[in-house]
Amino acid sequence: MAPSGRTLRLAPSLLSADFSNLGEAIRRAEAAGAGALHLDVMDGHFVPNISFGPGLVASVRARTRLPLDVHLMIERPAKFAEAFARAGGDTLVFHLEAQDDAAEVVRTVKALGVGVGAALRPATPFARVEPFLDRLDQVLVMSVQPGFSGQKFMPEVLPKVREARQRLGSIGSAADVSIDGGITLDTIGPAAREGATFFVCGNSVFVGGEIETNLAALRRAVDEGARLAVR
Ligand code: DX5
Ligand code: ZN
C-alpha cells in the first residue's frame, strides 16, 4: 500500500518469460509477490508481432490464483472478448485505436462480467478515453510502441499518467492507472510518482537475474516512487 492509500501492483508480463517453462515462471512470480500476471495478446495486424491466444490464457489460469490482466493488442477486440473471458481473463484491456467502436467494446466486456481496461498508444491523447472513463476498471498508458518487450521507456507519456490519475480521482473512480513498456528500476519510481498503480514488467522481471531478486528490487523502487507521489 502506498502512503496515499493506493495499492500498487507489479504485473510480470509473460511475454518475456521462457515459453517452454511457463509454469515455473508463474509459480516463482506468484511466490515472489506479483500482484497480477499480464498477458500480451498480439494478432499481427494491430501490432507487427504475433504472440498467443485464449488457449494459453486458459493454461495460465489453471496454474495460478493471481488476477490475469489480458492486454489485447488486436483488431476486433469485441469479437474475441468472450473467448478471453471464458479462458479466465479477469480484466480485458483493449486498445482505443483498434477499429471497433470503443463504447461498444466496453459494453461487451462488462456484459461478460469481467473487468475492462482501455489502452492508449504513446501518441494517443487522454481525451480519447474520456467518454467512458466512469465505466473503466483500468486505463493503460503505453510507454513504448505496443508489439515487443524490451524497448526503451518513453518519458514523454508521464504527463498522461498524471492526467489519468487526476481525472479518475475527480470522478471518484478507483480504477487503476497502468503503465506498460520499458518499466525498470529507473522508470518505475517516476511512473509511481505520477500516480500509476499497476506496473507491467517484462524484461525487468524475467531477463537477467532472478525473478525473486528482480521483483523485490522493483517493489522497493515503486514504494520509494510512491512516497514522493503527486497527490
Ligand atoms: C509491449 C507489451 C508489454 C511488454 C513489456 O507491447 O504490451 O507488456 O511485454 O515488456 P517490457 O517490460 O520488457 O518493456
Ligand atoms: Zn502489455
Side-chain angles (χ1 to χ4, degrees):
M1 185 88 80
S4 58
R6 297 176 197 134
T7 300
L8 306 179
R9 287 188 287 168
L10 303 181
S13 166
L14 296 182
L15 192 64
S16 294
D18 175 359
F19 282 11
S20 72
N21 205 3
L22 265 190
E24 183 65 4
I26 293 163
R27 188 192 62 71
R28 289 176 63 181
E30 184 166 5
L37 293 175
H38 182 85
L39 291 102
D40 288 299
V41 178
M42 305 181 184
D43 66 353
H45 294 280
F46 183 75
V47 288
N49 195 6
I50 297 176
S51 58
F52 48 74
L56 186 124
V57 176
S59 296
V60 174
R61 176 74 290 160
R63 289 288 190 135
T64 180
R65 302 173 78 92
L66 287 174
L68 301 186
D69 183 59
V70 181
H71 182 186
L72 298 173
M73 286 167 276
I74 62 174
E75 288 298 354
R76 316 288 311 278
K79 179 178 173 190
F80 292 98
E82 184 173 357
F84 285 101
R86 280 181 185 274
D90 293 285
T91 306
L92 304 186
V93 186
F94 71 98
H95 267 269
L96 291 167
E97 308 87 357
Q99 280 160 15
D100 284 347
D101 175 61
E104 177 60 28
V105 183
V106 172
R107 267 194 300 278
T108 304
V109 174
K110 286 189 87 81
L112 292 164
V114 295
V116 61
L120 302 103
R121 280 183 175 142
T124 304
F126 179 76
R128 286 281 295 278
V129 80
E130 282 276 8
F132 34 83
L133 199 58
D134 58 338
R135 278 162 278 164
L136 296 178
D137 300 289
Q138 178 186 137
V139 175
L140 186 154
V141 175
M142 290 294 307
S143 38
V144 299
Q145 297 300 343
F148 300 90
S149 60
Q151 301 180 74
K152 197 171 171 310
F153 183 79
M154 297 169 69
E156 57 268 38
V157 306
L158 286 173
K160 193 157 52 179
V161 172
R162 182 189 295 214
E163 191 178 5
R165 168 55 52 213
Q166 288 176 342
R167 284 293 296 131
L168 287 166
S170 74
I171 62 167
S173 167
D176 272 308
V177 177
S178 299
I179 183 105
D180 183 6
I183 292 295
T184 63
L185 289 180
D186 295 327
T187 60
I188 197 166
R193 204 155 59 223
E194 300 303 324
T197 50
F198 191 97
F199 304 84
V200 177
C201 307
N203 278 19
S204 60
V205 167
F206 292 112
V207 178
E210 297 288 315
I211 294 171
E212 295 76 8
T213 319
N214 292 341
L215 272 171
L218 286 161
R219 171 51 66 183
R220 282 192 295 276
V222 79
D223 286 345
E224 175 62 15
R227 206 173 56 75
L228 307 169
V230 180
R231 305 290 167 88

